[in-house]
């Protein structure tokens, strides 16, 4: 039989574990409560071009040197900047070098902060400025209302859906297009490095929802035999630059899609409900040859219990869709399979690339 002393010791140990777990739970809630501080500090770094300033010196530099290079600031607040940098170093966005001779701390770049460079070919700075803009942050405050009553968070916040808002607001339209263009460069680089055989057998390709044409222009440059078409809403096409080998066509993907050997769509279907996706995909099927055509989807494949490099971000992006889209969502492979089958694409395969999304290649036969 267990002694009374053993029972008391066991109870004391259990109480201690429970107390530690409660404290850990409290710490977790504090972390979540102030999670916005990460994105706001990140946005601040982008707006001040801190990464660009350090990079322009080609070496780690002092806080005073960073402050002296901030545009539009005659008298920067060094103390404020120091506290922001301390936080960003804690988050490993920058690194602090402490000289052994006791000199001033020097601030350098990390692999993460290199993605904040405005003038880099591969930069996420425009996306950060868009996602953390008050226009895009406002819908998040209406999640509980939408959960109670239904509705589209962006429309509740701004009185119209996101693409209507962009059409009527040139400033937002540019913010949105710049953000999409920067992600397009990042993803396109990954596609061209890993999907090398995907474009070799096609003569024409239409990028549906291609924005200002960044992705299709890079594909055509890498595969000059491909005739490229950039297809998007008229107000988007109006701002698109001229690219060799690419024609721009304005239109509505819910009505019809230009004919081509293949269709590519990057982060388009995640903006829409399943019913809308089926309409778009059926228009894609009508636009390609029934025997040899294919649709190339560049989308996340959600793995809620996954431990992959981008699996957590994919779940966050599902909430982004809840905040900004009209019924959009990230989808699991099973959900993609069901969607494609209902739209007339019974065969598909998923290809991983070194980026957040995957490639889903779908065939009508």
């Amino acid at each position: 039989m267990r002694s009374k002393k053993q029972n008391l010791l066991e109870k004391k140990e259990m109480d201690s574990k429970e107390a530690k777990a409660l404290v850990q739970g409290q710490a977790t809630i504090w972390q979540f409560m102030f999670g916005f501080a990460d994105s706001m500090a990140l946005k601040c770094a982008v707006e001040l071009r801190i990464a660009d300033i350090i990079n322009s010196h080609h070496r780690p530099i002092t806080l005073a040197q960073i402050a002296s290079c901030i545009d539009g600031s005659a008298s920067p607040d060094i103390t404020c900047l120091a506290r922001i940098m301390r936080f960003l170093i804690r988050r490993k966005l920058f690194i602090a070098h402490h000289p052994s001779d006791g000199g001033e701390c020097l601030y350098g770049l990390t692999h993460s902060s290199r993605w904040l460079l405005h003038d880099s070919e591969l930069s996420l700075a425009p996306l950060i400025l868009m996602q953390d803009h008050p226009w895009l942050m406002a819908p998040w405050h209406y999640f509980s209302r939408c959960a109670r009553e239904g509705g589209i968070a962006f429309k509740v916040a701004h009185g119209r859906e996101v693409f209507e808002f962009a059409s009527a607001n040139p400033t937002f339209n540019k913010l949105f297009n710049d953000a999409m263009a920067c992600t397009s460069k990042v993803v396109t680089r990954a596609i061209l490095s890993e999907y090398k055989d995907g474009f070799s057998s096609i003569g024409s390709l239409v990028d549906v929802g291609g924005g200002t044409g960044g992705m299709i222009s890079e594909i055509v440059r890498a595969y000059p035999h491909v005739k490229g078409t950039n297809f998007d809403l008229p107000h988007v096409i109006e701002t698109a630059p001229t690219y060799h080998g690419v024609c721009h066509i304005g239109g509505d993907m819910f009505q019809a899609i230009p004919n081509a050997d293949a269709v590519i769509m990057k982060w388009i279907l995640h903006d829409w409900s399943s019913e809308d996706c089926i309409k778009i995909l059926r228009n894609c099927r009508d636009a390609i040859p029934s025997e040899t055509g294919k649709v190339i989807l560049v989308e996340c494949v959600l793995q809620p219990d996954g431990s992959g490099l981008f699996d957590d971000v994919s779940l966050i992006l599902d909430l982004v869709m809840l905040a900004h889209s009209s019924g959009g969502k990230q989808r699991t492979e099973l959900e993609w399979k069901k969607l494609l089958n209902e739209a007339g694409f019974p065969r598909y395969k998923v290809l991983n690339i070194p980026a957040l999304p995957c490639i889903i290649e779908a065939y009508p036969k």
Side-chain angles (χ1 to χ4, degrees):
M1 292 180 63
R2 298 173 63 86
S3 67
K4 185 176 181 181
K5 183 177 181 180
Q6 285 177 316
N7 288 335
L8 288 171
L9 287 172
E10 187 174 287
K11 184 177 184 303
K12 185 176 181 181
E13 184 179 352
M14 289 177 63
D15 288 345
S16 177
K17 287 181 179 179
E18 177 69 12
K20 288 179 180 178
L22 281 171
V23 173
Q24 178 60 57
Q26 180 190 162
T28 299
I29 294 300
W30 279 101
Q31 192 77 30
F32 287 167
M33 188 190 329
F34 291 110
F36 68 89
D38 288 2
S39 57
M40 292 300 100
L42 179 64
K43 179 189 178 188
C44 173
V46 172
E47 290 177 331
L48 296 178
R49 294 180 174 255
I50 293 172
D52 299 271
I53 291 170
I54 296 172
N55 190 58
S56 69
H57 285 75
H58 307 292
R59 58 180 172 79
I61 59 176
T62 66
L63 196 65
Q65 288 174 306
I66 294 173
S68 68
C69 296
I70 294 174
D71 287 340
S73 177
S75 54
D77 187 330
I78 296 289
T79 302
C80 175
L81 185 61
R83 290 162 66 181
I84 293 167
M85 289 301 294
R86 180 174 61 187
F87 181 82
L88 293 171
I89 288 165
R90 172 77 176 186
R91 290 294 185 262
K92 296 181 171 55
L93 288 176
F94 295 94
I95 188 168
H97 302 274
H98 298 279
S100 57
D101 61 4
E104 286 189 73
C105 178
L106 301 175
Y107 297 87
L109 300 178
T110 65
H111 289 297
S112 295
S113 49
R114 292 192 179 279
W115 288 96
L116 308 182
L117 297 170
H118 286 75
D119 298 328
S120 173
E121 181 65 21
L122 298 180
S123 172
L124 292 175
L127 182 64
I128 292 164
L129 293 177
M130 182 194 77
Q131 290 293 353
D132 293 332
H133 192 283
W135 281 327
L136 275 297
M137 294 298 292
W140 292 81
H141 293 279
Y142 293 93
F143 270 17
S144 57
R145 175 172 166 179
C146 290
R148 288 191 187 101
E149 306 170 6
I152 299 165
F154 193 94
K155 188 173 183 179
V156 173
H158 297 296
R160 59 183 71 187
E161 296 180 24
V162 63
F163 296 117
E164 295 173 337
F165 190 78
S167 179
N169 187 324
T171 303
F172 178 77
N173 187 49
K174 184 179 187 308
L175 188 73
F176 184 88
N177 287 339
D178 287 349
M180 295 304 100
C182 89
T183 58
S184 183
K185 288 180 181 179
V186 174
V187 175
T188 300
R189 180 71 62 90
I191 292 170
L192 292 176
S193 70
E194 297 294 324
Y195 190 59
K196 295 177 181 177
D197 298 327
F199 305 111
S200 58
S201 62
I202 60 176
S204 57
L205 177 69
V206 56
D207 186 357
V208 174
T212 54
M215 182 168 70
I216 191 68
S217 68
E218 289 297 314
I219 293 171
V220 169
R221 185 163 67 172
Y223 298 88
H225 71 278
V226 174
K227 178 184 176 183
T229 299
N230 181 49
F231 181 70
D232 211 312
L233 294 169
H235 75 268
V236 177
I237 294 298
E238 284 175 6
T239 65
T242 300
Y243 296 107
H244 179 73
V246 175
C247 70
H248 297 290
I249 298 178
D252 184 347
M253 63 187 174
F254 288 100
Q255 299 299 320
I257 289 168
N259 292 333
D261 293 334
V263 168
I264 188 168
M265 288 188 286
K266 176 183 65 68
W267 277 335
I268 300 300
L269 297 186
H270 73 180
D271 285 326
W272 301 97
S273 68
S274 295
E275 293 76 13
D276 285 334
C277 286
I278 290 170
K279 291 177 186 177
I280 297 166
L281 285 167
R282 284 175 177 168
N283 285 339
C284 291
R285 188 189 59 192
D286 292 340
I288 61 176
S290 58
E291 297 292 333
T292 59
K294 65 180 176 181
V295 168
I296 305 160
L297 305 179
V298 184
E299 294 277 1
C300 293
V301 177
L302 201 62
Q303 298 190 54
D305 299 320
S307 57
L309 191 60
F310 294 109
D311 284 340
D312 195 58
V313 180
S314 295
L315 281 171
I316 294 170
L317 283 178
D318 188 48
L319 294 185
V320 173
M321 295 301 101
L322 200 60
H324 299 157
S325 71
S326 308
K329 60 186 291 190
Q330 303 298 339
R331 294 176 170 88
T332 64
E333 184 173 346
L334 186 62
E335 288 174 314
W336 280 118
K337 180 180 180 179
K338 184 174 184 293
L339 198 67
L340 290 167
N341 191 61
E342 289 185 27
F345 292 91
R347 292 193 304 118
Y348 75 94
K349 60 182 177 182
V350 178
L351 307 169
N352 291 316
I353 58 175
L356 174 58
C358 301
I359 289 176
I360 305 171
E361 203 174 60
Y363 323 94
K365 284 193 176 180

